[in-house]
């Protein structure tokens, strides 16, 4: 092992499907690590055979069932100067996978944390979805219970950014139905299945249509991308209501200029139209 001051945690991305997508540095890190913490040691063995590399360090399991207990052990190894490599079954560690606890523990101890960037189902699905990607948020897996799932979706119904979810194949039909109920049947979405694998499929369309398609059963690893809520259209507000909204904001302490701009944005109207309504009302009361 290296000196205590050189302990480092390396988060390494692994292929989400095609083994050829493994980053070149992954093999180097697997060979150099003092400890390799893997979500599934059997999958790690298959990956190392494909890459033609043999880890020289200790290989331990690090998955949801033992993550809490093993984090302290790995953090101690890092504090002792070990180079610890963390890999999951697919994609980047800590993104809906084990890793967050160990990263937090390493940061708390002042240990260096770095990464070997690699494949990501989130970014891959966004890129091929055909939906806006300039702003997005990742929601991970939804709750398994129908009521909790629908409640979570309703919380995100007004979100303007593109939404990304992971889902299990046996729940995807029910999830798409819940999305159609919470977001609206016509909300555009894309179901990305088996990304980068032999049977890769990207199904695009309104949520209601995708729910009907999934009702017959869907297999494989699934990422769902949903368009954000549409921008509100112009509201049909009369001059009197515009003036009233400006007055409310002014009473709350806003300057008239800012109040007019805010009301115009809320109503989807030009600021000049709201300004003219305020001026006209002032003349009427003069």
């Amino acid at each position: 092992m290296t000196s205590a001051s050189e302990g480092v945690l390396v988060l390494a991305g692994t292929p989400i499907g095609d083994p050829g997508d493994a980053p070149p540095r992954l093999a180097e890190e697997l060979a150099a690590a003092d400890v390799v913490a893997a979500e599934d040691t059997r999958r790690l063995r298959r990956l190392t055979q494909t890459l033609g590399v043999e880890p020289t360090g200790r290989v331990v399991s690090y998955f949801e069932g033992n993550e809490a207990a093993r984090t302290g052990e790995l953090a101690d190894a890092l504090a002792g100067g070990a180079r610890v490599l963390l890999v999951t079954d697919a994609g980047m560690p800590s993104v809906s996978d084990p890793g967050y606890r160990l990263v937090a523990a390493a940061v708390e101890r002042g240990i260096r944390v770095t990464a070997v960037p690699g494949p990501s189902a989130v970014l891959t699905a966004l890129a091929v979805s055909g939906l806006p990607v300039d702003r997005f948020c990742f929601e991970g897996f939804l709750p398994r219970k129908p009521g909790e799932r629908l409640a979570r979706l309703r919380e995100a119904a007004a979100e303007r950014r593109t939404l990304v979810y992971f889902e299990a194949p046996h729940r995807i039909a029910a999830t798409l139905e819940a999305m159609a109920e919470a977001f609206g049947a016509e909300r555009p979405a894309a179901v990305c299945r088996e990304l980068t694998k032999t049977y890769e499929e990207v199904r695009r369309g309104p949520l209601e249509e995708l729910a009907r398609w999934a009702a017959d059963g869907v297999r494989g690893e699934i990422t769902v991308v949903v368009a954000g809520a549409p921008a509100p259209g112009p509201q049909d507000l009369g001059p009197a209501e515009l003036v009233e909204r400006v007055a409310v904001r002014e009473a709350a302490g806003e300057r008239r200029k800012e109040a007019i701009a805010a009301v115009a944005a809320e109503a989807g109207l030009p600021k000049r139209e709201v300004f003219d309504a305020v001026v006209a009302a002032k003349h009427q009361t003069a």
Side-chain angles (χ1 to χ4, degrees), residues 131-132 135 156-163 187-188 225-231:
L131 297 171
R135 298 177 68 225
E159 174 59 61
R160 299 280 296 279
R161 294 170 294 179
T162 298
L163 300 156
R187 182 82 71 91
V225 185
V226 184

Side-chain angles (χ1 to χ4, degrees), residues 235-258:
Q235 297 182 30
D236 188 15
L237 302 178
E241 190 168 358
L242 294 173
V243 172
E244 181 181 353
R245 291 194 179 193
V246 172
V248 169
R249 285 181 170 274
E250 284 190 278
E254 283 190 29
R255 295 172 55 189
R256 177 167 294 179
K257 181 178 180 181
E258 282 73 21

Side-chain angles (χ1 to χ4, degrees), residues 50-68:
T50 300
L51 297 178
V53 61
E54 183 67 33
T56 56
R58 183 165 57 99
V59 176
V60 300
S61 63
Y62 188 72
F63 61 100
E64 185 178 359
N66 72 356
E67 184 178 5

Side-chain angles (χ1 to χ4, degrees), residues 185-208:
E186 296 303 313
R187 182 82 71 91
V191 177
C192 305
R193 186 181 72 84
E194 294 289 88
L195 287 169
T196 77
K197 298 179 183 177
T198 302
Y199 298 104
E200 175 181 284
E201 180 181 17
V202 179
R203 195 89 176 194
R204 305 175 182 88
L207 282 168
E208 185 177 50

